[in-house]
Amino acid sequence: MMKTAIVLGATGLIGRNLVAQLANQAEYSKVIAITRRRVEYDFENVSNEVVNFDCLDDFSNIFTGDVLFSCLGTTKKQAGSYEAQRIVDVDYQLKVAQLAAKNKVQHYLLVSSRGANSKSNNPYFQMKGELEEQVIGLNFVRVSIFQPSLLLGERDHFRFGEAIGFYLMPVLKYLPLLKSYRPIEGGEVAEKMVQVSLSSETGKELFKLDEVFPQVL
């Protein structure tokens, strides 16, 4: 059966790769790219839906399909504070997940973070862990959570940590204790997410970097 995919965070590092890869999958007849601003795509099976994230209830009908890929995110620097970051990284994503679950979307795939833990003293890891716990409780047939570490790839803005990771990668690969925190290309995460979405499992599943992406170890 042909599937409809919804991509939240479609202009981000992983989201851009997801849209392109899904558009070229025969199993997907339609890809809905959710963005804040209009984006033109060269794929006939990709449609762009522009939403106001502060009024997501007004766009509830858009979040209807078979699979929802959630890879929305920002940084404290971009948002201005952890409180503002939380609105994007937790509140918006959770609201979209709730709308999708209500619309009977079957499979929810979330890009979280290595170290996500609702009880962490680190605000970033704490909010990621809280989101994981919230979406697991929704009535999706299947929830797949991905915990990559540092993401590498071309962005439209500079991230200092990722730049450092790029130069340290050759060194990190020789440190076994840090294997689960090694940098990974955003396109590799997207590729694995697409592969998982095409399988027929059910239930809740967690994918960690060192378990799912052995090629970077």
Side-chain angles (χ1 to χ4, degrees), residues 144-183:
S144 306
I145 297 175
F146 298 79
Q147 291 185 341
S149 57
L150 192 64
L151 294 171
L152 300 181
E154 293 186 6
R155 295 185 187 268
D156 56 7
H157 57 275
F158 178 78
R159 289 191 179 181
F160 179 75
E162 290 173 5
I164 295 298
F166 176 81
Y167 291 106
L168 288 180
M169 186 185 290
V171 177
L172 290 175
K173 69 181 182 180
Y174 296 109
L175 302 176
L177 294 178
L178 296 180
K179 68 178 183 177
S180 62
Y181 291 91
R182 294 172 185 174

Side-chain angles (χ1 to χ4, degrees), residues 7-22 41 71 186 190:
V7 180
L8 181 66
T11 60
L13 179 59
I14 296 176
R16 293 198 311 270
N17 281 282
L18 270 173
V19 171
Q21 292 182 32
L22 290 166
Y41 292 98
C71 44

Side-chain angles (χ1 to χ4, degrees), residues 8 20 22 27 74 79 82 86 118 158 166 169 181 186 194 196 216:
L8 181 66
L22 290 166
E27 291 86 348
T74 186
Y82 278 122
R86 182 184 177 84
S118 63
F158 178 78
F166 176 81
M169 186 185 290
Y181 291 91
V194 173
V196 170
V216 303

Side-chain angles (χ1 to χ4, degrees), residues 34-127:
I34 308 296
T35 61
R36 293 175 179 271
R37 300 177 182 84
R38 178 65 57 191
V39 178
E40 297 295 332
Y41 292 98
D42 295 327
F43 307 103
E44 292 184 359
N45 58 340
V46 175
S47 64
N48 178 218
E49 294 288 352
V50 179
V51 305
N52 180 345
F53 282 87
D54 292 320
C55 305
L56 284 167
D57 281 319
D58 296 339
F59 301 88
S60 60
N61 63 304
I62 291 174
F63 303 104
T64 302
D66 301 290
V67 185
L68 170 60
F69 296 85
S70 189
C71 44
L72 188 66
T74 186
T75 64
K76 178 187 175 185
K77 181 178 180 180
Q78 287 178 292
S81 67
Y82 278 122
E83 291 74 18
Q85 182 183 7
R86 182 184 177 84
I87 292 173
V88 176
D89 281 25
V90 180
D91 297 350
Y92 288 163
Q93 292 202 88
L94 178 57
K95 183 61 178 179
V96 169
Q98 291 170 336
L99 293 172
K102 185 177 180 180
N103 290 341
K104 307 300 182 183
V105 172
Q106 299 293 294
H107 190 186
Y108 176 83
L109 298 94
L110 172 67
V111 177
S112 183
S113 172
R114 190 75 169 109
N117 185 338
S118 63
K119 296 179 176 60
S120 173
N121 292 323
N122 180 294
Y124 178 76
F125 293 146
Q126 183 183 68
M127 68 177 75

